[in-house]
Each structure stands twice: as structure tokens, then as C-alpha cells.
Amino acid sequence: MAERSDAATAPELVVEAGGGTQVLSPLRTYHVGRDPASELVLDDARVSWHHAVLHTTDGHWVVEDEESTNGTYTEGRRVQQSDVGPGSVIRFGNPADGPCAVLTGIPRPPQATARPSAVTSVPHPAATRTFRQPSAVRPLPSARITRIGRAPDSDLVVEDLIVSRRHAELRAGPEGYEIVDLGSHNGTYLNGRPVTRAPVVPGDIIGIGHSAFVLVGEELQEFIDTGEVSLDVQELAVRVDKGRKTLLGQVSFPVGEKTLLAVVGPSGAGKSTLLNALTGLRPADEGTVLYDGRDLYRDYAELRQRIGLVPQDDILHSQLTVRRALGYAARLRFPEDTAKAERQARVDEVIHELGLDQRVNQPIHSLSGGQRKRVSVALELLTKPSLLFLDEPTSGLDPGMDRSVMHMLRGLADDGRTVIVVTHSVLSLNVCDRLLVLAPGGTIAYYGPPDEALPFFGFEQWPEAFEAFENDTDRDWAGQFAASPVHRRYVAAETHQPRRAPEAPRGPVDAPKSQSWGAQLRTLVRRYTAALTADRTFLVIMVALPFVMGAMAHALAGSALTRDSALNALLILCVGAVLTGAANAVRELVKERTIYQRERAVGLSRSAYLMSKVLVLGTITVVQAVVLTMVALFGVELNAPGGKGVLLPPLIEITLAVALLAFTAMMLGLFVSALVRKEEVTMPLLVLLAIVQVVFCGALLKLQGVPGLEQLAWLVPSRWALGAMAGTIDLHRIVPQGITSDPLFRHQAGIWLLDMGMLIVLSLVLGFLVAKLLRRREPEIMRK
């Protein structure tokens, strides 16, 4: 179905052929024949595989015979090319009783031609299943407003859980039609671009969930993405270091409907780079990816909802049970107006589909590796993706589990999806339809059926082939494949999409928000709380740490804060608060990085995610700080001037200072967790943080008036917290030493408020930096 640039004045037609009715757009070309890929399929032995073509030229319709065996006929005579239009009857294969196509006209609404187009018209993609034939042709009701949504009382009911109940309206007015989004949670799209209100002209594609609507006269053609989609990869190239290094070099191949494709190759061959390019997470620098004929990069905002991605690391909280984990995922991915029963029904459906019925109440960490991978796949299947990508799903699994996972993927493809799996394992390649072998340098060494790969290379075992990739560095793997009959048979002959020039990117793509910010926050808080409370090790440490540190401080303080004990007691309180807060948070972001990246790509709010961490960990941290202070100072004479603090009772002021220090340390821990790449480095950094807090708090070194050290200490939270506590009890009065004469230790309201205020400022700054660091971990297409 190629675009016709000369079709502006040709009429739209309705064709009755092959027992069905279809609207013909003048912007498209229609192939007629027995080939199932034809737009008009005629199942008759007298009809050739590729029989004829219907298209427009110079403002009128033409039927053109494609050298068919039995001929094409109009008005009883055989034609090679003939003008046709409303009222024409075309017969194929026999002039008397051959299958026929009856053409009738559709009057254009005057406003459709009278107004200028505000949106560039996009033709239906060529040679695709989704746009091959409409699933329904719906006459527009007499009302000027057509309501579209999941609600039963909508004019156009879309049975799709990612569609809001009140999703959008198609409005007719004196200037023509316009589509209006009604605040839907997953968005309304016009030609792949998210819109809130935009004019619609014939040929435009309105995307709502898995459905696409095309305006044709006074009717809407509906096309449903059932999952049986193709993927055409055209000349993909990825380069880094300002183009000096190629990670992926001019990769082209077709992936048919319901195909299971495995991608293998030696380390460094570009498998992960290809996966990121195909999913749109890191678009290629050159080339095009066609999702069922549509440019994935151009229409990424809409199409990404139909792409599932299972990373190598699990994307679920392992402390939760299977049912709870999938339930929280469904809350985040489905619109806020989805009923609990609807969500639960979909969760039960994927649990049954993946064979997890007997595991629903088990914690995920107690499952085998293969079962955990099934749960990750189940999460992605919640939204019924048409394309499913998996990165090393069998990594670390034994051969039996490897085979089980690959057979699961075989079943998913057979059920009506296109599945692409990147793997190092070659044990179960025989269950795949196609195999893509990447050579070093990111080029294609082979593409075709798995059982023909080793004979093509001339080896009997895969280890021999991989050794050859490493050793035969001068061999032109890509050139040999491109010149081979295998390439002609499985790449050139199976590529149905015309070569498309890459379209200009539309800039960064925002994540669709399936829920409001507040609803996301509530779900995230509940999930995070459930995950923490299910972690017994964390609970034990959380409860024990403040008591242990408080007991140490109490032992140092004795019965009263005196010249010998006051400074050390306050220092231990500082150390305890820093360790408590930072230890709570220092692992929390880095260990969830894979989960965050995937959820962010499908609609998670960055600020809601960060705020859920702050609220849950902040509450825990503040409670721990209060326990720490009470245990440390219970029954201890504080010796504040006149028994009074600066503004409040001494114990309350010290408790506030310790709690605010612990909270700031928690924010510092989140900063470190967002900064590092590996969880293993967090514990050494925690120790370093504690040392820095001790050295620069002002209890061991004189900081006031020392250039460099004094300014550096302003960035250390314990510096301000110790100042606030020292001011409360007037530490210099109790311990008259040079080090305690620090101006920040004075028993004055202004100084105490400055100390406390700086802790708040540091917390806010750290929160801002954490948000910026989280943004760096997001898919590149969302950051450009």
C-alpha cells in the first residue's frame, strides 16, 4: 500500500470482493491476488498469486493487470490497464463467472476538501496485517460528537484495558473533524504523535490503545493490532566516539508475523546495541525500524505501548509474592479508572498463560531461575504487547531450564506475537523460526532458519563458529552473507516493505502516565512498604541499629553531660544518625535500577518514584532517630542553660536535630545510590561517608577560620547538626575549649535556626541532584 502523491482529487471507493467490503483510499495502492499479503485476497484457482493492482493516477482510479495467467476483465473484455470508478465491475480469471470486485463511490464531506490540512496526512503502511483490512467500518452517528472509550455507553467502545473509560471524542464542526483527548491516561495519538486536540483529515491515523481509526467519508475504519505484526529492519547503524567506532553496521533483516527470532553472536558483536535500537530505547544513528510498516522512531510515543521488554535482570521486587508483584504492576500500567476486578482478571489470565498457577503465593526470590523469568514475562504480557523482546532470558540457567524458557517463548509466538530473544545459549535454537548471527563489528554473518546456519558457515559445532569469529578477523562475514543465496532467500525475498528513508526524529518522548501523580505515589508507597516489610534482614537491622547506637551514646553520656562526656556523646549521636539514615538508603536506587528503567519507559513518574522513597525511608529514618536519641539521653541531665533550650525544651531540640540529620543523611544515601553503577560499591562508600561526617563535623578539627576546610565543611550535614545540638546545651559553657568556641555552637536562636535551616537546604539540594541522576538512567529517547 504505497502512498500516491497524485491522488488528491481521486474519489474514495467501496469495493465488494471476496465476500467482504473494504473502503479504498486514493492515497494507497491495492494488490489483488491469492497471496495472503494482498490487500484484496481472492481465493480462487483461476486467480494468479499476484494478479492485478488498483491505484490512482491523474486523479482517477486504474486497474492494472500484473501479467496474470487468466486475465483481468472490465465490461467483458480483457484489459492490461483500464480506468475504473464508481459502478465498475472488475472480474479476475474469467469474464463470465470469475471472482469480481464491485466498486461504488463515497461522497466526500464538503468540509474535508474545503479546509487546509493542519496535520500532515500519513498513508496506511504497506504490506502489513494490521492495516490490511479494517476490523470494522463504523458509520459516524448523527451526533456531532463521537465518544470513544472503554465505557459501555461510548459511541465507539474499545475493549482494551489500556484505554480509559472516557478516552477521546471525534468532533465534527464547520472546519471539519478534530480529535480531542479527554485527559486519558495512556494518551491519544494522531499519526503517532500525542495530541490533546488536533484536526483530522482523511488518511490520518488516530491511535487509541491497540486500535487505530481512519476517517473515510462519513465512516471510521477501525484497525486492531492483534499482535500479528511484522518488523522490518533497514540499514541500522550505531556509532559512538563521534562516529569513530561502529557498534552496529548497516543491519537489515525482516521478521515475520508470529515469528520467534534468536539473536546470537560473540561478546561485543552488538547484540545489546541491536536490542536497544529495535526497542527504541537507544535509536540507531542511521536506518529505519518499521513496526508493521510504521516508522518506530517517528511513532515511538504511540507504538512503545505495544512493545514488551524483559531485561536480563529481573524487573520485579523479589520480596513480594507473584500475585502481589503482578498486582502492583497492573496498578501502575493500567488507567486509574480500571476496576480492581478488571485488573485482577488480567493478572489471573497471564498467570495461567505462563503456567504460574501453583506459584502465585510464593515470594519471587524463592522461585527457580526459570520461574522468575516467567514472572518477568508475565509482567510484560499484562498490556498485551505485540512485540516481545528478551535480553539473555536463559543466562545462568541449567540446560533443562534453558529449554523450558525457550519452549515458553515458542508458545508465546504461536499465540500471536513476534518474539525476539538475545541469547548466548545455542542449546534450543531449533525451536526458533529464524536465527540472526552477528559478527564482530555489529554486522550480519547469517540470517535464516537455525538448522541451516552451521552448514552455511561450514562447521559442525557452534564453538567452532564462535572461535572462527574471534580468530578469522580478516574474513568478510557480512560480505559473504550478502552475496549468498541464503541472503536472497531469507532477507531479500522476505522483505515486503519498500525501502524507507529515515524520518526526522520528533525530539524527546515523554513517558505516558497511566495514572495521576497522586495515584502512582500511593501505589509506589504501598509496594515499597510491602517489599521492605517482607525483607526480614532489613527489618532486623532497622530495629537494632538505633538501639545499639543509642546505647553506646548513653554509655558515653553517663548520668549527665559534663566536660568529659558532652562532646563525645553528641559526636556519637551524629555518627549514629548518619549511619542510620545513609544505611537505609544507600542501596535502594541502584538495586532497583533495572526496575526503574523499565517502569519509567512505560509511564512511571520520576518524581513520584523518588517521593515514594523519600516518604517511606524518611518515615523509617525519623522514627529510628527519635529512638536513637531517647535511648541515648533518657535519664541524662543535659545541663542546658537554665534547663532550657534555645527555643524549645532541650531534649526536643536535640531530637529534632538528630532526626533532621538522619533524614539528610538518608538523602545523601539516595544520592550515592543514584550515582554509582554497582551495588557492591555502596558499602565502602557508606564507611567513607561516616568518616567524612566525623572529621568535618567540628568535634575533632578546628574548622572556623581555616580557609578551604571551613567552606568544605558547609557541605557536611553533621557540621550543622552538631552545631544545633551544641547550641541547645551551650557546649562551650560546659566544655570551655578552643574547638567548642565555634560560632555555629552558640546558644542563640538565629544560629540554631541557621543550623537547622542548612540541613533542610542540603536535603533539598540532594533531592534535586538525585532527580537529575535518575534522569540519566532513563532510556535515551526520553532524554534527547
Side-chain angles (χ1 to χ4, degrees), residues 274-617:
L274 175 63
L275 186 69
N276 288 334
L278 296 182
T279 56
L281 296 181
R282 198 290 187 189
D285 300 310
E286 300 174 13
T288 307
V289 179
L290 297 180
Y291 173 101
D292 215 27
R294 300 176 65 180
D295 190 316
L296 175 66
Y297 297 159
R298 184 198 67 199
D299 297 350
Y300 182 72
E302 175 187 354
L303 297 180
R304 66 172 162 194
Q305 299 182 49
R306 309 179 196 180
I307 296 175
L309 173 61
V310 181
Q312 183 173 353
D313 297 327
D314 292 329
I315 51 177
L316 292 160
H317 291 82
S318 61
Q319 304 92 339
L320 301 178
T321 64
V322 172
R323 185 180 294 282
R324 292 190 75 180
L326 293 177
Y328 284 123
R331 280 180 174 271
L332 289 172
R333 297 199 178 195
F334 290 139
E336 194 173 345
D337 59 13
T338 307
K340 180 179 180 181
E342 292 177 299
R343 291 196 307 267
Q344 193 56 56
R346 181 58 188 154
V347 168
D348 291 339
E349 188 178 344
V350 297
I351 285 174
H352 180 71
E353 184 177 2
L354 273 299
L356 294 167
D357 303 79
Q358 306 302 317
R359 310 292 181 183
V360 291
N361 295 317
Q362 275 189 244
I364 293 172
H365 66 78
S366 69
L367 301 176
S368 66
Q371 291 166 346
R372 287 199 302 273
K373 193 58 64 178
R374 285 176 180 265
V375 179
S376 292
V377 173
L379 185 151
E380 290 300 310
L381 294 186
L382 287 172
T383 54
K384 298 184 178 180
S386 302
L387 274 177
L388 183 63
F389 294 87
L390 301 99
D391 188 9
E392 300 287 356
T394 61
S395 177
L397 302 184
D398 60 55
M401 285 293 182
D402 182 299
R403 179 179 176 82
S404 174
V405 169
M406 292 301 292
H407 277 272
M408 172 191 70
L409 300 181
R410 173 73 269 166
L412 293 177
D414 292 339
D415 287 342
R417 302 177 187 88
T418 299
V419 182
I420 299 177
V421 52
V422 172
T423 180
H424 276 105
S425 175
V426 295
L427 297 177
S428 301
L429 295 180
N430 61 305
V431 305
C432 301
D433 300 295
R434 290 290 182 266
L435 173 65
L436 171 65
V437 182
L438 289 177
T443 58
I444 295 183
Y446 174 82
Y447 181 85
D451 58 357
E452 297 182 22
L454 284 175
F456 173 80
F457 292 126
F459 299 110
E460 295 184 358
Q461 302 292 332
W462 278 107
E464 298 174 340
F466 282 92
E467 283 183 3
F469 287 138
E470 297 294 333
N471 298 330
D472 297 349
T473 55
D474 296 331
R475 184 172 174 179
D476 184 8
W477 299 96
Q480 291 179 7
F481 174 69
S484 70
V486 176
H487 179 275
R488 293 192 293 273
R489 188 181 309 128
Y490 298 117
V491 177
E494 293 187 1
T495 299
H496 302 298
Q497 292 290 344
R499 188 69 61 188
R500 294 266 293 273
E503 301 195 26
R506 290 181 169 174
V509 177
D510 292 331
K513 294 178 174 57
S514 58
Q515 293 186 338
S516 66
W517 188 89
Q520 280 199 9
L521 178 61
R522 289 192 295 271
T523 300
L524 290 168
V525 166
R526 291 178 59 184
R527 184 180 70 176
Y528 189 38
T529 302
L532 288 181
T533 54
D535 188 342
R536 295 183 180 179
T537 302
F538 177 83
L539 286 177
V540 170
I541 296 174
M542 179 182 67
V543 172
L545 186 58
F547 282 98
V548 172
M549 298 300 297
M552 293 171 58
H554 188 86
L556 285 172
S559 59
L561 295 182
T562 64
R563 179 170 183 162
D564 295 328
S565 65
L567 188 57
N568 289 335
L570 297 184
L571 178 59
I572 290 296
L573 283 176
C574 284
V575 174
V578 168
L579 285 176
T580 299
N584 286 343
V586 76
R587 296 170 56 248
E588 294 306 299
L589 297 182
V590 65
K591 75 177 183 182
E592 290 186 3
R593 182 157 297 158
T594 303
I595 299 174
Y596 170 74
Q597 289 174 336
R598 182 61 191 139
E599 291 185 340
R600 177 67 177 139
V602 296
L604 181 68
S605 165
R606 184 194 313 131
S607 58
Y609 176 77
L610 177 56
M611 185 57 68
S612 70
K613 299 294 184 186
V614 172
L615 288 178
V616 175
L617 291 176

Side-chain angles (χ1 to χ4, degrees), residues 52 66 97 112 157 175 235 286 340 361 433 443 486 503 529 642 688 711 721 746-747 768:
E66 288 197 301
D97 61 354
V157 179
E175 298 297 321
E235 303 294 335
E286 300 174 13
K340 180 179 180 181
N361 295 317
D433 300 295
T443 58
V486 176
E503 301 195 26
T529 302
L688 179 61
Q711 288 72 33
R746 292 174 184 168
H747 185 77
F768 174 79

